[in-house]
Amino acid sequence: MPEWMNIAELAVEQPEKRIHMERYEYAASVLSGKRVLDCACGMGYGTAILASAGCRPTGIDIDPAAISLAHQKYPTGDYVVADAYAVPLDGYEAVVSFETLEHLEGPQQVINRLPENVTEIIASVPIRPTVGWNPWHKSDFTKESFRDLIRSRFEIVHEWGQLWVDGADLYLVIHGRRNAAA
């Protein structure tokens, strides 16, 4: 497995670990007690962080190998092989989606399918162009286009940028709550 995929076991000073953990720690602090869908959970370390903070998470990923590894490394977690376009969403109160939306050709479709019972979303995307050099990325975002995507169904209650080692903006993280008119 490539080292970058195993964020939980990277050295503490690794910038990728710091920014990933910061997102999950924030989500855990504001979603405690809620039923949370961790979309594109990868190896499950974030789902485990959410669970340890009192969330009731289910980690989903389209990659069966990632879900298998999540079951091995974090056996107390609930993990399912599923597609963000089709996963059943009944019963969830919140969605966590860290570096998922840029992998989709239709990120608006995923946001639009979130039912009324999903009252919160915490998501992040890279805000540097990545399509063309990253073969897995299908969509690029600017700060404003990402805000618009989340605002289409949620009110933004908190956001922050995450810097890369070169000091430039790399990711934008947004926490949204359901609009009354959504």
Side-chain angles (χ1 to χ4, degrees):
M1 153 184 20
E3 179 182 84
W4 65 268
M5 289 181 65
N6 198 1
I7 297 294
E9 293 181 10
L10 288 177
V12 171
E13 67 275 2
Q14 290 288 326
E16 195 70 15
K17 179 174 185 165
R18 179 187 51 79
I19 58 183
H20 274 265
M21 299 305 249
E22 183 179 88
R23 291 179 209 142
Y24 275 108
E25 289 164 359
Y26 172 80
S29 76
V30 298
L31 299 177
S32 183
K34 295 191 178 199
R35 185 85 173 96
V36 180
L37 180 71
D38 185 6
C39 192
C41 70
M43 290 172 275
Y45 68 89
T47 308
I49 291 170
L50 294 168
S52 70
C55 298
R56 296 170 317 204
T58 299
I60 67 156
D61 203 287
I62 199 165
D63 182 354
I67 292 299
S68 177
L69 190 56
H71 280 292
Q72 291 169 27
K73 292 181 83 60
Y74 306 100
T76 59
D78 184 15
Y79 305 100
V80 179
V81 176
D83 185 315
Y85 291 112
V87 64
L89 296 164
D90 294 334
Y92 293 102
E93 300 165 273
V95 170
V96 172
S97 175
F98 299 139
E99 273 135 272
T100 311
L101 298 169
E102 68 274 12
H103 292 262
L104 307 175
E105 290 190 24
Q108 186 71 58
Q109 293 171 1
V110 171
I111 298 300
N112 287 348
R113 70 180 297 272
L114 296 176
E116 294 299 316
N117 53 282
V118 175
T119 59
E120 295 192 66
I121 186 169
I122 303 174
S124 66
V125 296
I127 52 171
R128 291 182 178 180
T130 59
V131 173
W133 68 264
N134 186 322
W136 297 282
H137 289 191
K138 309 291 185 220
S139 299
D140 278 332
F141 293 92
T142 63
K143 288 179 182 180
E144 202 52 43
S145 69
F146 184 46
R147 286 181 188 121
D148 288 346
L149 177 68
I150 300 301
R151 276 193 212 119
S152 71
R153 298 295 303 274
F154 298 88
E155 293 178 22
I156 296 174
V157 295
H158 185 61
E159 73 173 62
W160 75 94
Q162 292 181 301
L163 304 179
W164 192 236
V165 293
D166 62 5
D169 286 336
L170 181 58
Y171 299 106
L172 182 61
V173 185
I174 294 180
H175 178 186
R177 286 199 182 109
R178 182 63 73 176
N179 290 324

